[in-house]
Amino acid sequence: MARLLIGFGIFTVLFQGSFSNNYDNHTLMRLFPTNTKQLEAASGFHDPENKVEILKSSRGINDTLDVLVPFDRMHYVEDFAKEKGLLAEVKTNYGRSFEDLNERMPRRRVLRKFNVFQYNSFHMIQDYLDTMAQRYPNLVTLETLGNSYEGRRMQLVKISTNPSIGNPVIFVDAGVHSREWVAPSMAIYLIHRLVSDPTTKLPGHELDGLDWYILPVVNPDGYEYSRASKSNRMWRKTRSKNGKCYGVDGNRNYGFKWAVSGVSHDPCHKETYAGPNAFSEPETRIVKDIMIDNAKRIKLYVSLHAYGQYLVYPWGYTGQYLPPEWKKLDRLAKAVSEKVQRAGGKPFKVLSAGKWYAAAGGSDDFAFGAAGIPYSYTMELTDGFEFSFPESLLQRTLPQFYEGFREFGTQIKNEFGRHRKKRSYDD
C-alpha cells in the first residue's frame, strides 16, 4: 500500500498486529526534498534511538530519503517530515511486499532450473560457473580464492580469449550487501553475455583486447541468509560473529581511510558497522587480494549495488574535495549513463560518492586510492522497488545495463589497449 501525502494534517498508519516477518509492522517512508534547505534536512536525518533504518539517503533535490520505520517511531519521523516541510510517500506493512519465498526454500532449489533472469541460490550460481568453465574452456577460467566466514567457496571468473598476452582488465564484483539481489544477477548476466553471445568475440567487441574478472557474490553467507526466510530478507552485512552480535558492513571494511566517516563502531547496532579493524572479514580480504595481485592490469573496477540508479566515483570517505582525476571519472560515468538510457533504461545520477554522504572504508576508494586502479565506480542498479526488484523485470532491465558495460569496455581498450585509438575522457 503506497500513498503520496501532500500534507501532514492526517497521517494514518495501519498497524495489524505481529506477523512472522520482522518488517510487516514497519512502514517505508520516502521523503521528498524539493529545495536546498529541505535537502540539507533530509541529508542530516538521524533517529536518536537508532530504530529507524535509512535504506537510501537523498543525493539531491527530488531524490528521496527512504527510511524504514517501526511502529513506535512513526510519530518521530512524522514530526520530522512535518517540521521540515517534506512530502512523503508511505508504504505500510513493508514486509508483506516481499515476494513469495517458496521459490527460495531448499526443497525448491532442486526443482528450479538455473536462469540468468532470476534470483538464484549461491549453490546454483557456483554450479553455473563450473558449467561455463567446462563448456567454454578457451574463454573461462575459475580461480578459487578461498572461503567465506561460513566456509563457502569463492571463485573469481576470468574471461579472456588470450590470457597470456596481458590485456587490460575490467574487474567487477557484486553482492557485498546481502539484500541487494539484483547486483549478483547483473554480474551473472554479464558473464552470460560475455561468454555466450558470439558477437562479443568479433573484432572490436567486448573480448577483443580486453579481459574481464568477475566475482558475482562477495558476501555469500549474507546472501544465503537473506534468502532463508522473510524475517532475514533485509540482512545487509556479513555473518561473522562479533561478541553477541553478527555481521560487518563489507563496504565499510576496506583499509583506505578506514572508519574516518560514516560508520558505526557498535557491532550490535546500525547497518554500517565497520568491523573491529580494517579487512577483518575474509570476504573483503579476498577482494583486496584480487586488486593488489592484479593492480598493474586492472584499469577499471565496478562494484555493483542496489538501489537508486546512481553511478558514483571517489572519494567516498569525504565530500570536502575530489581527486584530481574527477573530471575524467565523471565524463566516463556520464557516457555510460547515456548508453544505458539509449537502450531504454533510466539515466544514472553521476557524482562523487562523498557528495552524497561521506562513508569511509568502501571498496571503490580502496581500488582508486590504494590499489591505483585509474577508474573506480560504485554502480547502484535500479530505481524503485527498493531491495525487492521483481524477477519479472530482470529480462528487460539487465540488457540495458549491459550497454553501459560495453561503453566501459570501449574506453578501457581505447585508453589502455595494445591498439590505442583515443583518450576521450582525459582532462
Side-chain angles (χ1 to χ4, degrees), residues 101 104-106 109 119-126 148 150 152 175 177-179 181 184 217 219-229 232-233 235 237 239:
L101 289 156
R104 302 198 302 275
M105 297 302 288
R109 292 174 191 167
Y119 296 124
N120 299 285
S121 70
F122 183 72
H123 176 73
M124 291 178 68
I125 291 171
Q126 291 300 99
S148 67
E150 293 181 343
R152 291 179 172 87
H177 290 151
S178 318
R179 61 196 181 190
W181 292 359
V217 189
N219 179 12
D221 301 343
Y223 178 71
E224 282 304 300
Y225 189 72
S226 75
R227 291 166 46 83
S229 72
N232 302 331
R233 176 62 186 89
W235 186 260
K237 300 183 288 185
R239 291 296 298 161

Side-chain angles (χ1 to χ4, degrees), residues 23-34:
Y23 296 99
D24 280 343
N25 295 321
H26 285 59
T27 297
L28 174 70
M29 292 185 63
R30 308 184 75 201
L31 305 179
F32 294 78
T34 58

Side-chain angles (χ1 to χ4, degrees), residues 114 116-117 122 124-136 139-142 155-160 170-174 183-198 200-201 206-207 212-217 304 398 402 405:
F114 184 92
V116 295
F117 297 119
F122 183 72
M124 291 178 68
I125 291 171
Q126 291 300 99
D127 285 348
Y128 171 75
L129 300 183
D130 291 338
T131 298
M132 296 299 274
Q134 294 169 8
R135 185 176 298 172
Y136 302 97
L139 284 178
V140 179
T141 302
L142 300 182
Q155 292 179 298
L156 178 66
V157 183
K158 296 183 175 181
I159 306 173
S160 174
I170 291 177
F171 174 34
V172 181
D173 72 23
S185 292
M186 182 64 223
I188 291 297
Y189 181 73
L190 186 57
I191 294 168
H192 166 74
R193 285 291 298 270
L194 289 171
V195 175
S196 304
D197 188 344
T200 62
K201 304 171 190 63
E206 288 87 312
L207 293 180
W212 297 74
Y213 291 1
I214 302 172
L215 183 59
V217 189
L304 296 173
L398 300 186
Y402 185 78
F405 279 94

Side-chain angles (χ1 to χ4, degrees), residues 12 33 46 79 129 136-137 174 182 223 270 289 292 339 371 402 414 416:
T12 304
H46 170 68
D79 291 344
L129 300 183
Y136 302 97
V182 72
Y223 178 71
K270 292 281 190 181
D289 289 344
I292 298 301
K339 291 295 184 181
Y402 185 78
N414 287 344
F416 301 102

